[in-house]
Amino acid sequence: MATIAIIGGTGLARMEGLEIKSREMIKTPYGAPSCPIIYGELNKLPIAFLARHGSTHKIPPHRINYCANIWALQSIGVKKILAVAAVGGISKECTNGSIVVPDQIIDYTTGRKNTFFDGMPDEVRHVDFSYPYDDEIRQALISSAGKSGAGVVDHGTYGATQGPHLETIAEINRMERDGCTIVGMTGMPEAVLARELDMAYACCAVVVNAAAGKGAGVISMEEISQGIEAGMHTARGIIEGAVKVL
Ligand code: HPA
């Protein structure tokens, strides 16, 4: 049984090197997950893989059924989630191609279903979220990333925006004042839903562009695509290394 799951983001809808054994579309009380869960082996270690944006990358960040995805992973016995995400870099150290393992989140998303604990008829419940990411998984990612040759930033604050448009320069400046070092559109509510269902969760963020106002000129989709292609290859290796020690 796979107790470790990888959630693949943009550019990682398939996990190279994963020996696929089977696929399963899980029915959940929250509707359909993004796609079937893939069960397979990565270097002989059993893992589950879920493509966040669907197997053909058609689900935009604001339409992802985060509750169904996380519930599905818990229902098959997953205890640890390694989430891969493409992000924009805000702080100087988070340059294109670098790998960031954030330790904090600020949620700027709106209108997403962000809890399993909806109250009535159940009792009111609150989870602690002081440290949103699991430290054991973070350390595994950091040490694996250190061996990859990529620039590694071992902490940071992930600002989760609603999208699907990229941010204005003023928004990024505000996020920077808030302490955000990277920006992406899928970090929340994914992280908090995993916490609510008692699964350890951490994020391997790949910087694929300079956030609005932080690079030269406007952000081109070509720049992002190139960043994704180069960065996700590195991310795959880092995930493989991290799974070995978890
Ligand atoms: N902003 C938000 N999400 C992103 C970005 C960005 O600049 N790059 C990749 N995902």
Side-chain angles (χ1 to χ4, degrees):
M1 192 176 77
T3 57
I4 296 182
I6 297 160
I7 300 183
T10 304
L12 203 75
R14 264 177 287 116
M15 185 81 192
E16 233 168 70
L18 176 66
E19 203 180 306
I20 298 175
K21 303 284 181 192
S22 62
R23 291 181 168 81
E24 186 181 16
M25 190 64 183
I26 308 273
K27 284 205 177 105
T28 90
Y30 303 93
S34 297
C35 58
I37 290 177
I38 294 175
Y39 300 98
E41 285 183 359
L42 201 56
N43 295 316
K44 306 275 176 236
L45 298 168
I47 63 138
F49 180 84
L50 180 67
R52 186 188 284 122
H53 297 275
S55 26
T56 53
H57 200 268
K58 295 231 166 103
I59 311 172
H62 62 290
R63 285 197 175 272
I64 292 168
N65 190 339
Y66 295 95
C67 286
N69 286 352
I70 295 296
W71 194 96
L73 292 176
Q74 201 228 20
S75 76
I76 61 162
V78 166
K79 306 273 184 248
K80 297 177 182 180
I81 300 175
L82 285 70
V84 182
V87 297
I90 298 178
S91 71
K92 277 198 196 78
E93 50 183 359
C94 296
T95 50
N96 279 10
S98 54
I99 301 292
V100 185
V101 184
D103 58 347
Q104 283 294 326
I105 308 178
I106 299 179
D107 187 7
Y108 300 91
T109 66
T110 53
R112 299 184 183 183
K113 179 163 169 50
N114 68 350
T115 184
F116 292 111
F117 301 156
D118 246 345
M120 299 177 295
D122 302 323
E123 64 193 63
V124 174
R125 292 181 64 181
H126 304 283
V127 285
D128 173 72
F129 203 42
S130 309
Y131 298 98
Y133 297 110
D134 177 78
D135 206 47
E136 187 198 5
I137 306 179
R138 289 190 60 252
Q139 295 310 327
L141 289 168
I142 291 164
S143 90
S144 177
K147 294 173 198 147
S148 73
V152 185
V153 184
D154 67 3
H155 65 282
T157 298
Y158 182 126
T161 56
Q162 175 67 1
H165 60 279
L166 299 172
E167 299 70 32
T168 65
I169 292 175
E171 284 166 342
I172 291 296
N173 288 342
R174 178 181 73 151
M175 292 175 75
E176 187 171 35
R177 287 194 298 275
D178 286 351
C180 296
T181 57
I182 51 175
V183 54
M185 297 176 193
T186 57
M188 283 293 278
E190 198 172 84
V192 76
L193 292 170
R195 175 63 53 87
E196 284 190 348
L197 294 191
D198 223 8
M199 285 183 284
Y201 176 101
C203 173
C204 175
V206 183
V207 180
V208 297
N209 61 281
K214 297 295 173 190
V218 299
I219 302 166
S220 75
M221 291 310 116
E222 204 184 326
E223 173 191 357
I224 293 191
S225 301
Q226 282 169 2
I228 287 170
E229 201 160 311
M232 288 304 158
H233 181 73
T234 313
R236 257 187 218 115
I238 293 170
I239 293 288
E240 259 188 72
V243 165
K244 270 188 210 156
V245 300
L246 283 169

